[in-house]
Amino acid sequence: MSLFIKNQPRAFLLIAAIIWFALYKTLEPLSHILVNRLALKPASHSYDALQFFLYDTPKVLLLLAGVVMVMGMANSYFTPERTRALLAGRHESIGNIMAALLGIVTPFCSCSAVPLFIGFVQAGIPLGVTFSFLISAPMVNEIALTLLFALFGWKIAALYLALGLSIAIFSGYIIGYLKMEAHLEDWVRNMTHVQATTGADELTLADRIAAGLNNVREIVGKVWLYVLAGIAIGAGIHGYVPQDFMADLMGKDAPWWSVPASVLIGVPMYTNAAGIIPIVEALLAKGASLGTVLAFMMSVIALSLPEIVILRKVLKPKLIAVFVGVVSIGIMLVGYIFNAVV
Amino acid sequence: MKHIKVLGTGCANCKSTMKLIADIALEKGVDIQLEKTEEIQDIMAYGVMSTPGVVIDEKVVHAGGIPSRDKISGWF
């Protein structure tokens, strides 16, 4: 297999794409056949729930594997070093927009947040632009977008993408405008300035495919359990739990403070984009409104206590407070806008 | 003897990287001295922006994500 990839990378991609597409197309009929075999009455609660589970689980996992594969290959073009070189010398505005966009495609793990932050500052990238990247990278990522798309449709995924990017761009812009460079820890400011270089990495297509496959193994291997839990919850309460269970607290007619309260609860919590999906599924199914739930989801992913503790090594308390404050306010606005529009 | 440092702030990936390197070195019978660098200032001194990073005899050979088995084997 690896020999085939090495010799015929294009053929491998083509065959993989065809198999993927064929599988995707057979899922729905297959799930009906499987459920019928179990001799449940069509249109009964258990029939619906089981069909939903049997169809949605492979669908979401297949979509996720496809997207993670493509993103793994894309990631190999956008190493942090290259992203840094692209951003060095950019000014505010354009820099903020580019940083937020690059945040989507640059591989990022929250444990790398601090080295990345310092690396950017060291190369002379403005503080506000650095923050735009740091906010966008964990929040607007392919896993969150794929799961939202697969479970709730493209409109919700597109809204999440647009509003997540807006939060990253504007929060970074505001932090840049406030000129908070003095609130970096002294040792960070005193570090020697380095030239941003891309570093020579001549990868072949076969290398990038290997990187993509590796990404699939690593991410889908970690995430499938959360996806399964999310879908099981969704299927389980399909018709069993009253639709308006959460409506009073987080629904359309909930008091105005339900959005800020959701964000306040979400900020200290941490889980990755996949881990939050079961909760989102459960809340939405029980009548919570979309804006409030998405605000909760964004605050869990974008801000967390562990991240704040790590960032404290490089930022003084005042800058941390501004960072958390600006991003939280942005997320709350998104919550209200979603609630008003949808 | 090779002197290997794994750079990382203590996430799960860094621990997996340590273990993988130790395992493969043992398999191949290569004598190594393995240590972990967690202090952020020391990590930055190597210019590594994405962790885990791997340094062999003071030279950065890998950054970002768990290195593949093949890549590690290539170092020995």
Side-chain angles (χ1 to χ4, degrees):
Chain A
M1 171 100 154
S2 59
L3 202 70
F4 178 58
I5 295 175
K6 200 163 255 167
N7 295 331
Q8 301 286 339
R10 277 164 214 274
F12 172 81
L13 279 183
L14 190 70
I15 293 169
I18 291 170
I19 293 175
W20 187 90
F21 200 72
L23 271 175
Y24 194 78
K25 282 285 156 199
T26 48
L27 283 181
E28 197 174 8
L30 193 68
S31 71
H32 278 291
I33 294 168
L34 277 174
V35 179
N36 283 332
R37 278 278 174 101
L38 293 166
L40 288 166
K41 226 187 294 155
S44 69
H45 276 334
S46 43
Y47 182 94
D48 279 356
L50 196 67
Q51 199 265 331
F52 178 73
F53 188 74
L54 285 178
Y55 172 53
D56 264 41
T57 314
K59 182 184 87 172
V60 173
L61 289 178
L62 208 57
L63 265 176
L64 197 66
V67 170
V68 166
M69 172 77 202
V70 171
M71 286 305 289
M73 292 180 64
N75 281 170
S76 69
Y77 290 94
F78 293 94
T79 59
E81 286 73 19
R82 179 164 298 166
T83 294
R84 178 169 77 165
L86 280 171
L87 288 175
R90 300 280 165 194
H91 293 289
E92 317 270 276
S93 331
I94 299 283
N96 291 107
I97 295 168
M98 276 185 65
L101 289 172
L102 285 166
I104 308 175
V105 288
T106 309
F108 178 84
C109 130
S110 56
C111 48
S112 280
V114 165
L116 212 70
F117 183 91
I118 298 171
F120 276 29
V121 171
Q122 225 179 352
I125 296 172
L127 195 59
V129 176
T130 304
F131 267 108
S132 281
F133 179 85
L134 205 65
I135 295 164
S136 150
M139 187 165 63
V140 191
N141 63 59
E142 70 272 17
I143 301 172
L145 290 171
T146 309
L147 293 176
L148 286 175
F149 167 73
L151 294 168
F152 311 113
W154 68 270
K155 277 185 193 155
I156 291 180
L159 266 173
Y160 183 90
L161 172 70
L163 293 169
L165 284 176
S166 310
I167 292 175
I169 292 166
F170 286 111
S171 302
Y173 188 79
I174 292 168
I175 291 170
Y177 180 78
L178 293 174
K179 304 235 178 302
M180 310 230 18
E181 279 78 2
H183 296 277
L184 290 171
E185 282 295 338
D186 298 334
W187 70 270
V188 178
R189 273 189 299 152
N190 295 334
M191 266 187 338
T192 47
H193 194 88
V194 296
Q195 203 68 40
T197 51
T198 45
D201 60 325
E202 282 307 312
L203 292 177
T204 63
L205 185 60
D207 290 333
R208 297 190 198 281
I209 292 173
L213 289 173
N214 208 27
N215 210 33
V216 171
R217 209 171 305 133
E218 211 170 290
I219 292 180
V220 178
K222 235 184 278 177
V223 154
W224 69 271
L225 202 63
Y226 295 109
V227 174
L228 216 64
I231 297 167
I233 290 170
I237 52 187
H238 219 77
Y240 286 107
V241 175
Q243 287 286 312
D244 52 358
F245 192 75
M246 287 297 294
D248 287 344
L249 269 179
M250 291 174 82
K252 273 251 176 264
D253 306 316
W256 67 270
W257 47 260
S258 80
V259 172
S262 304
V263 173
L264 275 183
I265 297 169
V267 167
M269 287 171 62
Y270 177 72
T271 164
N272 53 24
I276 190 78
I277 288 291
I279 304 170
V280 169
E281 180 91 55
L283 288 174
L284 282 180
K286 290 181 186 180
S289 63
L290 192 60
T292 315
V293 173
L294 282 184
F296 177 69
M297 172 177 173
M298 284 180 162
S299 63
V300 171
I301 302 177
L303 297 167
S304 72
L305 211 52
E307 193 195 7
I308 290 168
V309 170
I310 302 178
L311 281 176
R312 177 66 191 87
K313 287 186 185 165
V314 283
L315 309 180
K316 290 183 181 167
K318 199 170 164 191
L319 183 47
I320 291 199
V322 169
F323 166 60
V324 174
V326 168
V327 176
S328 309
I329 291 170
I331 293 173
M332 284 178 209
L333 286 178
V334 162
Y336 284 122
I337 293 172
F338 253 102
N339 279 345
V341 171
V342 183
Chain B
M1 184 166 81
K2 282 184 188 296
H3 189 102
I4 302 181
K5 280 185 195 165
V6 174
L7 314 176
T9 41
C11 51
N13 283 352
C14 314
K15 284 171 198 143
S16 316
T17 305
M18 288 277 282
K19 195 175 171 314
L20 205 59
I21 292 176
D23 286 353
I24 292 174
L26 197 69
E27 259 172 43
K28 297 203 137 199
V30 179
D31 196 18
I32 58 164
Q33 190 194 345
L34 191 60
E35 70 175 280
K36 194 147 185 266
T37 303
E38 291 196 347
E39 204 46 57
I40 185 77
Q41 272 151 287
D42 300 333
I43 295 176
M44 290 318 295
Y46 288 103
V48 165
M49 277 202 295
S50 34
T51 55
V54 178
V55 174
I56 298 181
D57 297 329
E58 297 304 305
K59 207 171 155 256
V60 180
V61 293
H62 174 85
I66 303 170
S68 67
R69 284 192 87 86
D70 292 344
K71 195 168 180 185
I72 297 176
S73 299
W75 296 334
F76 299 133

